[in-house]
Amino acid sequence: MSITVAMYSHDSVGLGHLRRNRAIAFALAEHLPPGSSGILIAGHPAATRFSLPAGWDWLVLPGYARTPDGYTARALHMGVSGLSELRSLTITAALAALSPDLFIVDRHPFGVDDELRPVLDMLHTTGCVTVLGLREVLDTPAVAHAEWRTAETAAAYDALWVYGDPAIHDPVASGEIPAELAPLVSFTGYLSRGRHVDEGDPVEAPYLITTVGGGSDGGQLARIAARTRPPEGHRHLVVTGPQMSEAELLAVRALAATHHTQVTRFVPNLPTLIRDAAGVVCMGGYNSLAEVMATDTPALVIPRNTRRAEQPIRARALADAAVSDTIDINDLTPRRLGEWMAGAATRRVSREHVDLDGLHRVGHLACDLLAEVSSHV
């Protein structure tokens, strides 16, 4: 019997949410019965740049943007409540027509402004299995705890999947996930090995690469990287991300004009380029590091230190586990970055002590969960 899957990510800042769901979609396509299909709900038009498995498609919603005062509509002239209602009605109608067997939500149990609440209520009447997927680091325990609606989440979801290795960071033990939800938690391991990679142009070796994720908040790192002279005989590729503003991109390119540095907004084959690089410099987002950990490429993590403590916590945990190096952005200079690059170019890093098989495990978890729920019907 074929299985229909729906996956949701709100996608206000960065592309990590949709890229995480896309990686899982490819893993599920390999493990679910033949003929299974799915839809990925996302909130950024860049989603369609990424391929999907056969039988899967994107549903791209009008998007949110984040401001110092919170969320706002990215493009439409309407308030957050109106945008939330529009998105909620769209998702509900789509899933009512699709009638999924499995619904996987990334990070936010009820979406922005509770836009998923009517969706979840509708799906519960159909017997759909619901899963909340969480990255391994949420925030400081106090901040994370204040955001949970524990009883409502427990009623809304059949399982919580944590995409990490508890030996590196355990959000249940830290208090980021309430103890009351612990019975629902399964640790998958990092979503690293076995990621689907699109084809793209190779880069002439040897080279180093700097990537700033989606790019909306990576301007400072990209400017420092562009001013950094790579080791003798090496090239330097700076990937700014599709969300970096045009003005910021032009500034980065101007700084790189006199160095052996290439600046590009997007590459479809980033995991392959990271694998073959002499070293990689990145921010502390989950997906960037999941891709890095699938390789033995030395990595320097420059975590975002605004809004949430998630990236600094992750960067420190991975540095403590000898997975990567880390420097605070305020301590980073072109000279210091150049010194790190010179050292990285002469070594590789083993990450065999980390559980990196989450993409293999989610397929088995999904099949087991569907079978368990089916047996109780």
Side-chain angles (χ1 to χ4, degrees):
M1 181 182 71
S2 63
I3 300 296
T4 301
V5 181
M7 306 179 72
Y8 163 93
S9 58
H10 77 295
D11 303 315
S12 64
V13 178
L15 301 176
H17 299 276
L18 71 86
R19 290 175 60 215
R20 185 158 49 240
N21 275 355
R22 173 182 178 262
I24 294 169
F26 274 100
L28 293 177
E30 290 186 8
H31 285 89
L32 294 179
S36 296
S37 63
I39 191 165
L40 273 71
I41 302 164
H44 197 280
T48 58
R49 293 188 180 190
F50 298 95
S51 64
L52 289 174
W56 293 65
D57 208 345
W58 294 104
L59 172 61
V60 180
L61 304 171
Y64 294 105
R66 181 179 280 279
T67 71
D69 299 321
Y71 289 114
T72 186
R74 185 179 60 234
L76 296 177
H77 298 301
M78 61 194 317
V80 170
S81 61
L83 177 60
S84 173
E85 182 179 9
L86 171 61
R87 287 166 53 109
S88 183
L89 290 169
T90 303
I91 299 169
T92 302
L95 298 194
L98 195 64
S99 189
D101 303 288
L102 174 64
F103 184 45
I104 302 174
V105 172
D106 190 85
R107 174 65 178 91
H108 297 277
F110 302 101
V112 178
D113 201 31
D114 277 359
E115 65 185 9
L116 288 184
R117 185 171 293 283
V119 179
L120 290 163
D121 290 344
M122 182 268 292
L123 291 178
H124 284 161
T125 68
T126 70
C128 178
V129 175
T130 53
V131 173
L132 177 62
L134 300 169
R135 59 194 182 223
E136 90 292 24
V137 179
L138 302 180
D139 208 314
T140 62
V143 170
H145 185 76
E147 294 178 344
W148 282 103
R149 288 179 282 173
T150 304
E152 295 174 75
T153 303
Y157 287 95
D158 297 299
L160 273 64
W161 293 349
V162 177
Y163 305 133
D165 179 350
I168 303 296
H169 183 82
D170 186 340
V172 177
S174 72
E176 293 161 76
I177 296 176
E180 297 90 331
L181 295 177
L184 297 178
V185 170
S186 294
F187 286 91
T188 67
Y190 285 95
L191 306 177
S192 293
R193 292 193 180 113
R195 283 203 172 207
H196 176 83
V197 179
D198 290 332
E199 294 183 0
D201 295 331
V203 175
E204 183 181 351
Y207 64 91
L208 297 104
I209 187 167
T210 295
T211 173
V212 296
S216 60
D217 55 1
Q220 184 178 2
L221 174 55
R223 290 192 300 272
I224 294 172
R227 292 165 54 206
T228 300
R229 189 172 297 276
E232 187 68 28
H234 288 69
R235 303 179 65 192
H236 184 196
L237 177 65
V238 179
V239 184
T240 66
Q243 292 180 325
M244 181 172 285
S245 70
E246 191 65 26
E248 190 82 79
L249 175 63
L250 291 174
V252 174
R253 283 181 169 157
L255 290 170
T258 60
H259 298 292
H260 303 289
T261 298
Q262 176 187 349
V263 178
T264 186
R265 186 181 284 279
F266 175 80
V267 289
N269 57 333
L270 184 59
T272 299
L273 295 179
I274 291 173
R275 181 197 67 196
D276 296 337
V280 58
V281 181
C282 64
M283 297 178 73
Y286 178 91
N287 282 281
S288 294
L289 287 167
E291 290 173 345
V292 166
M293 285 191 286
T295 75
D296 62 356
T297 304
L300 178 64
V301 182
I302 316 297
R304 180 178 63 214
N305 57 12
T306 58
R307 292 198 298 111
R308 287 188 174 274
E310 170 219 343
Q311 290 200 12
I313 292 171
R314 177 178 298 113
R316 176 46 52 198
L318 293 175
D320 289 345
V323 170
S324 54
D325 304 316
T326 186
I327 300 176
D328 187 278
I329 186 68
N330 295 317
D331 297 327
L332 189 67
T333 64
R335 179 176 178 177
R336 189 168 183 183
L337 182 55
E339 291 172 349
W340 181 88
M341 287 182 170
T346 63
R347 62 188 174 96
R348 304 307 278 181
V349 177
S350 173
R351 301 181 173 107
E352 294 300 317
H353 57 294
V354 184
D355 185 350
L356 304 174
D357 291 323
L359 289 174
H360 176 75
R361 205 163 283 119
V362 292
H364 295 292
L365 286 172
C367 290
D368 290 347
L369 189 57
L370 287 163
E372 178 183 347
V373 172
S374 177
S375 69
H376 293 159
V377 175

